[in-house]
């Protein structure tokens, strides 16, 4: 891919109606040097609103579409960012791969999907030498976590994460567990979630498992409590070391804090989008094994609910 011309990207779901990250992804891609060549909404009204808000709030000039196929035909983008609800991802991924476009997709990659179906979706990209990456912003906070605590533990036997989705019931797992999985994989490498146990009470859900990896295992806990108001509480703890996310409004600047200490956090989504652009320019291949492993972990966790 030529480094002289900006990478042209279409963003699906560029509004943030519920807990969507579309505007933040679009902004991060633009800051990384990409051209937001189009946005796709579910209606003309939503597409127009996305165009207007991107121009007003982020200085991004673009064009709105209501049909992904039409956007792919008319814009002929290099890549697509899928920020729509996860129920639509599988069909959209197929369209994007068939159009020969690289793709950055919000978590989960596709759901519900069997392991075999996920293999097929990923193969649609790898067989065409297209880059497919999943948005995983929490691992991008680990350098700040290490600064906050003067390093990461050499051996990890416990991990806890607290998140605040707006969903209730099983969707809480689908919405939040990919973050939990991404940090476990970043800390210990690929593994399996075994001995999974789930407790639910009112709008709270506690998920416990043993994350079994090549070097040992981690007793892992995901604490979920429904919260509709932004910024939503979030923290994680590695062994005895905890870091709470602090968000300062209205700028939405972020930091990790613990016991009076604070470390400024570079916008994790912007780190993800910058990495995607860098990987595209470098011609890096899709990390298909990592994507499949993350999906297998999600299947393992969701099976305990069912």
């Amino acid at each position: 891919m030529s480094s002289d011309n900006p990478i042209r990207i279409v963003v699906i779901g560029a509004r943030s109606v519920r807990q969507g990250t579309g505007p933040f992804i679009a902004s991060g891609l633009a800051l990384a040097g990409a051209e937001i060549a189009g946005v796709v909404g579910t209606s003309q009204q939503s597409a127009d609103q996305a165009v207007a808000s991107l121009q007003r709030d982020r200085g991004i000039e673009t064009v709105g579409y209501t049909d992904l196929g039409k956007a792919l035909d008319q814009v002929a983008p290099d890549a697509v960012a899928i920020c729509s609800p996860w129920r639509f991802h599988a069909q959209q991924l197929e369209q994007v791969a068939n159009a020969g476009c690289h793709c950055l997709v919000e978590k989960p990659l596709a759901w519900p999907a069997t392991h075999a179906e996920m293999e097929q979706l990923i193969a649609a990209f790898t067989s065409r030498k297209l880059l497919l990456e999943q948005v995983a912003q929490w691992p991008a906070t680990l350098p700040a976590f290490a600064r906050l605590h003067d390093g990461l533990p050499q051996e990890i036997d416990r991990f806890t994460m607290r998140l605040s989705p707006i969903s209730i019931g099983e969707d809480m797992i689908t919405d939040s567990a990919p973050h939990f999985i991404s940090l476990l994989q970043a800390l210990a490498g690929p593994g399996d979630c075994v001995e999974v146990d789930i407790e639910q009470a009112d709008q709270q859900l506690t998920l416990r498992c043993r994350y079994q990896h090549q070097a040992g295992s981690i007793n892992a806990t995901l604490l979920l409590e429904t919260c509709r108001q932004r910024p939503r509480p979030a923290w994680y703890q590695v062994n005895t070391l905890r870091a709470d996310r602090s968000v300062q409004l209205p700028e939405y600047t972020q930091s990790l804090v613990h016991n009076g200490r604070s470390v400024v956090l570079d916008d994790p989504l912007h780190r993800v989008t910058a990495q995607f652009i860098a990987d595209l320019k470098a011609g890096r291949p899709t990390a298909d094994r990592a994507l499949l492993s993350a999906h297998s972990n999600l299947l393992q966790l969701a099976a305990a609910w069912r």
Side-chain angles (χ1 to χ4, degrees):
M1 180 169 294
S2 172
S3 59
D4 297 331
N5 299 317
I7 294 169
R8 306 180 75 246
I9 299 181
V10 163
V11 179
I12 308 172
R15 290 195 307 159
S16 183
V17 178
R18 295 175 72 242
Q19 55 187 346
T21 57
F24 308 102
I25 295 289
S27 175
L29 290 167
L31 286 173
E35 176 189 348
I36 307 304
V39 296
V40 179
T42 54
S43 67
Q44 192 61 55
Q45 181 182 19
S46 67
D48 290 344
Q49 288 174 346
V51 169
S53 63
L54 286 176
Q55 196 283 325
R56 180 187 65 246
D57 300 334
R58 305 175 191 278
I60 297 173
E61 299 280 354
T62 189
V63 180
Y65 295 87
T66 59
D67 180 78
L68 175 57
K70 186 175 181 180
L72 292 171
D73 287 341
Q74 295 191 0
V75 177
D78 300 299
V80 174
I82 298 179
C83 306
S84 55
W86 46 260
R87 292 173 178 82
F88 305 108
H89 287 186
Q91 180 182 358
Q92 291 168 345
L93 283 166
E94 289 180 4
Q95 283 185 270
V96 171
N98 289 335
C101 298
H102 306 281
C103 189
L104 177 66
V105 57
E106 255 294 0
K107 52 79 185 166
L109 197 67
W111 190 263
T114 65
H115 187 82
E117 289 168 340
M118 184 58 66
E119 282 185 316
Q120 277 192 311
L121 279 173
I122 295 172
F125 287 85
T126 56
S127 64
R128 295 173 170 89
K129 294 183 171 54
L130 298 169
L131 178 64
L132 173 64
E133 288 187 359
Q134 183 174 241
V135 174
Q137 61 265 48
W138 279 99
T141 70
L142 285 172
F145 183 94
R147 293 196 303 274
L148 183 67
H149 291 292
D150 300 319
L152 287 166
Q154 291 292 320
E155 295 183 3
I156 300 170
D157 53 35
R158 283 178 292 158
F159 175 77
T160 303
M161 187 175 199
R162 155 70 198 270
L163 293 172
S164 307
I166 66 172
S167 48
I168 299 174
E170 185 178 6
D171 283 355
M172 295 173 80
I173 300 174
T174 312
D175 288 338
S176 301
H179 293 307
F180 177 67
I181 292 165
S182 68
L183 271 172
L184 284 169
Q185 290 194 337
L187 290 166
D192 287 299
C193 298
V194 300
E195 301 171 13
V196 182
D197 177 68
I198 295 175
E199 297 177 10
Q200 187 182 18
D202 297 326
Q203 296 183 0
Q204 298 177 330
L205 186 148
T206 301
L207 185 154
R208 297 182 181 89
C209 72
R210 185 162 57 85
Y211 187 70
Q212 192 169 299
H213 55 92
Q214 187 173 7
S217 66
I218 299 172
N219 291 320
T221 303
L222 176 62
L223 305 172
L224 301 176
E225 184 171 351
T226 300
C227 178
R228 294 185 176 276
Q229 185 175 356
R230 287 179 171 173
R232 302 184 183 100
W235 56 263
Y236 64 91
Q237 182 170 317
V238 182
N239 291 348
T240 61
L241 306 178
R242 172 166 160 168
D244 289 64
R245 182 185 64 181
S246 175
V247 179
Q248 294 76 47
L249 299 176
E251 299 85 1
Y252 214 84
T253 55
Q254 302 179 54
S255 56
L256 293 184
V257 300
H258 179 69
N259 282 351
R261 294 189 65 187
S262 178
V263 173
V264 174
L265 190 62
D266 293 336
D267 191 309
L269 281 174
H270 288 180
R271 290 176 66 95
V272 168
T273 50
Q275 188 62 56
F276 176 69
I277 296 300
D279 290 346
L280 262 184
K281 290 181 177 180
R284 292 195 177 93
T286 294
D288 52 346
R289 291 184 181 180
L291 292 175
L292 280 170
S293 177
H295 187 69
S296 292
N297 292 155
L298 185 55
L299 287 170
Q300 291 163 349
L301 297 179
W305 176 276
R306 300 191 181 112

